[in-house]
Amino acid sequence: MKDKRYMKEALHEAKLALEADEVPVGAIIVYKNKIIARSFNKNQQLHNPLAHAEMLVINEASRYLKRKDLSDCELYVTLEPCLMCTGAIINAKIKRVIFGAFDLEKGSIISNEQFESKGIIWIPNILQKECSQIISNYFEMKRRN
């Protein structure tokens, strides 16, 4: 199934975030069955609270395609998008968003329903166990240290 294959790519990005001591969230954008953007959270690295994986890949995909309308793209992200990222997804007109783990605290799509679907197809729980585990392990490690 293509969703699992692409989510594995987003998980790879989350693992890079973990290695960089960032909250391990990874994202990719797919256009015509090709990955055109990939990134992970870089809040610490860039000293920027806006540097979420989703924001970074939306910027990268827009530069790659030389346009702001990403309605023919799909976003794969390991964690349910927050309010800020959901706003960016809506503004970019991304029609299909696939995510792994729910974010019960900050997730704005299903966990806290801060937005109507706005015509976006939200597909949760793709590789949910793996996506949840990397986040859980990270915060468990932080609490121990």
Side-chain angles (χ1 to χ4, degrees):
M1 178 177 182
K2 82 171 188 163
D3 286 345
K4 285 184 181 179
R5 181 177 45 135
Y6 286 132
M7 187 59 75
K8 285 179 182 177
E9 293 293 327
L11 262 169
H12 174 73
E13 293 298 313
K15 290 173 185 171
L16 294 175
L18 188 63
E19 291 172 12
D21 198 26
E22 296 276 0
V23 175
V25 176
I28 65 165
I29 289 187
V30 175
Y31 170 72
K32 295 185 178 180
N33 296 312
K34 177 185 176 190
I35 297 171
I36 61 166
R38 57 174 61 238
S39 195
F40 54 85
N41 277 3
K42 294 182 180 175
N43 301 99
Q44 303 300 322
Q45 181 181 338
L46 299 177
H47 310 289
N48 185 344
L50 307 178
H52 289 197
E54 300 97 320
M55 302 293 281
L56 297 170
V57 294
I58 288 169
N59 281 329
E60 189 177 327
S62 293
R63 279 193 306 272
Y64 178 86
L65 295 172
K66 296 180 175 60
R67 57 186 163 94
K68 63 181 184 172
D69 182 340
L70 303 178
S71 59
D72 48 359
C73 296
E74 298 173 312
L75 170 66
Y76 290 81
V77 61
T78 58
L79 186 66
E80 180 181 9
C82 70
L83 187 62
M84 173 184 70
C85 293
T86 299
I89 290 163
I90 290 167
N91 285 328
K93 300 179 182 169
I94 297 172
K95 293 294 182 200
R96 191 167 181 268
V97 179
I98 302 89
F99 66 91
F102 287 101
D103 184 343
L104 300 178
E105 184 181 327
K106 295 179 183 169
S108 69
I109 304 311
I110 296 170
S111 296
N112 294 297
E113 296 184 56
Q114 294 170 314
F115 276 103
E116 294 177 28
S117 68
K118 302 286 185 192
I120 300 168
I121 299 166
W122 300 98
I123 302 172
N125 291 332
I126 302 299
L127 299 181
Q128 186 271 338
K129 182 179 176 184
E130 296 91 329
C131 292
S132 294
Q133 194 66 53
I134 193 168
I135 293 275
S136 296
N137 290 348
Y138 172 79
F139 285 112
E140 189 177 303
M141 179 188 71
K142 287 294 185 186
R143 282 190 293 275
R144 276 186 272 147
N145 296 336

